[in-house]
Amino acid sequence: MHQNAMRRWISGTLMCTTALAGAAASATDLPQGQSALHQGQASSDLMSRGYHLVSELKVTNDGGGRDADPGALPDRTDGGHLVRRYTYELGVTTHTELYEEFGTSNQKIMQEKGALIGVKGAVTRHLGPDRKLIVAGEIAMGESDYTGSFIGGNYGELRFNGQSRYLLDVSVAYKQSIPQWSDVAFSAGVGYRRLTDNLQEAGPAGYQRVNDRIYLALGVEKPFHSGNWTISPGLNYRSALWGNQYSALSGGLDKKQKDASGFELYVNFAHKPSRITLTPFLRTWSADDSEVTRGFYEPRNDTREVGVALTYRF
């Protein structure tokens, strides 16, 4: 009887020793970034419930630890980091616009100056730590003041105020950052822009104009990190792939105007704790004379937009 008790005691002792040795070996082999066994746990607790590991993997918002978002929830694991597959951005935007047309002798023949306010948003699909696909859109509306001339007259003799104006711009772009180049990011994509100008509101002499444009966009951006802020200046070059100017004259005229290009210069001021971004921007377009349709054409024109956007990321 005493021999059986002795055997049970020896067997129990060996089991405890084996369990503790296994736990210690497992803690030694843990990858960097994970903690060992909780201190102060009794061996009986280890045997009954096993040991616990504490993970300290970072949760990032854009595929890397540089722009970690404490409020983001992980969707998948990529390269040792928990990464969200999708992030979203929504906000408001406002800008002033100056549109000018020029005649064959490079003289100004028409101008529209206005202010627009709208909403903008974006959906980002993270493809990896440094790669993403971004779908963005903006809708803005406002009023403009028209300065022009009668046919054969002088610029400035014809003025109308308060005509409504609408802008729609949507785009999709692939963006790739280069960690070896201090996270400089390059992007390439396509976009669609529609500007509706309701000059018919000025009276019988006016008519509606709608400009549609599909464009190629190439961009570069460089982030700078300072405490809770990330400041990212960027530049986008845009070149029209297709363009059409519709004028509600003579039953409707479509004039092809594909020779156009422009750029967007901006600076993103992103506050990490609040996930709010302030973005002042300058956008321009320059278009050559359109093709002639039934004796009408759209003159060479320039557009300049100066504004600011305020967005929230989630």
Side-chain angles (χ1 to χ4, degrees):
M1 180 174 179
H2 290 291
Q3 291 178 352
N4 292 335
M6 179 67 68
R7 282 197 296 269
R8 286 195 298 269
W9 181 85
I10 294 174
S11 176
T13 302
L14 290 176
M15 289 175 63
C16 290
T17 304
T18 303
L20 290 173
S26 298
T28 304
D29 295 336
L30 288 176
Q32 189 175 8
Q34 291 184 325
S35 67
L37 302 179
H38 288 301
Q39 295 181 358
Q41 282 210 295
S43 59
S44 60
D45 184 52
L46 289 173
M47 293 178 62
S48 60
R49 294 187 295 150
Y51 58 89
H52 303 282
L53 302 178
V54 179
S55 173
E56 294 180 353
L57 295 177
K58 294 181 180 179
V59 177
T60 67
N61 187 56
D62 71 343
R66 295 175 294 278
D67 295 315
D69 183 357
L73 296 176
D75 285 340
R76 64 185 176 86
T77 302
D78 191 348
H81 297 280
L82 295 180
V83 181
R84 293 193 67 186
R85 290 184 177 179
Y86 293 93
T87 53
Y88 308 90
E89 198 167 13
L90 186 63
V92 295
T93 179
T94 182
H95 69 268
T96 59
E97 179 189 19
L98 177 63
Y99 173 85
E100 300 172 298
E101 288 186 353
F102 302 91
T104 54
S105 301
N106 205 36
Q107 78 280 13
K108 185 188 288 189
I109 59 176
M110 190 268 270
Q111 169 186 292
E112 289 190 78
K113 188 174 184 179
L116 288 79
I117 186 170
V119 296
K120 66 178 300 183
V123 178
T124 300
R125 172 66 164 92
H126 299 275
L127 306 174
D130 305 300
R131 299 175 294 118
K132 60 184 71 173
L133 189 68
I134 305 171
V135 179
E138 175 183 341
I139 301 175
M141 62 186 67
E143 294 183 346
S144 65
D145 298 332
Y146 172 92
T147 303
S149 65
F150 295 102
I151 297 177
N154 297 316
Y155 171 75
E157 64 186 9
L158 191 61
R159 297 177 184 272
F160 299 105
N161 297 330
Q163 294 77 240
S164 61
R165 199 169 181 84
Y166 302 94
L167 174 67
L168 168 67
D169 195 299
V170 294
S171 63
V172 57
Y174 172 80
K175 192 172 185 180
Q176 172 80 58
S177 60
I178 312 296
Q180 296 85 349
W181 294 359
S182 301
D183 295 327
V184 171
F186 298 93
S187 62
V190 294
Y192 167 72
R193 180 181 187 269
R194 163 170 279 205
L195 180 66
T196 302
D197 182 15
N198 291 313
L199 279 177
Q200 78 277 9
E201 297 174 358
Y207 57 92
Q208 187 184 55
R209 296 148 41 96
V210 180
N211 180 265
D212 292 297
R213 184 173 293 153
I214 296 175
Y215 59 87
L216 171 71
L218 303 173
V220 60
E221 182 180 292
K222 172 67 175 76
F224 298 91
H225 305 282
S226 177
N228 289 328
W229 291 88
T230 298
I231 303 172
S232 306
L235 176 65
N236 286 327
Y237 169 75
R238 297 170 174 176
S239 180
L241 302 174
W242 173 86
N244 183 77
Q245 179 75 31
Y246 171 80
S247 300
L249 285 171
S250 303
L253 297 172
D254 286 301
K255 295 157 285 184
K256 303 302 180 185
Q257 193 176 34
K258 66 177 182 179
D259 295 326
S261 62
F263 68 86
E264 178 183 24
L265 179 65
Y266 64 90
V267 182
N268 289 327
F269 295 89
H271 188 242
K272 295 179 183 178
S274 66
R275 289 177 278 177
I276 290 177
T277 300
L278 180 71
T279 306
F281 60 84
L282 166 65
R283 297 190 295 233
T284 70
W285 279 102
S286 294
D288 293 338
D289 292 345
S290 72
E291 297 178 357
V292 178
T293 300
R294 305 206 313 255
F296 294 90
Y297 78 100
E298 190 68 19
R300 181 176 71 83
N301 57 78
D302 293 337
T303 301
R304 184 174 72 246
E305 300 170 354
V306 179
V308 62
L310 183 68
T311 58
Y312 175 73
R313 180 168 47 90
F314 57 97

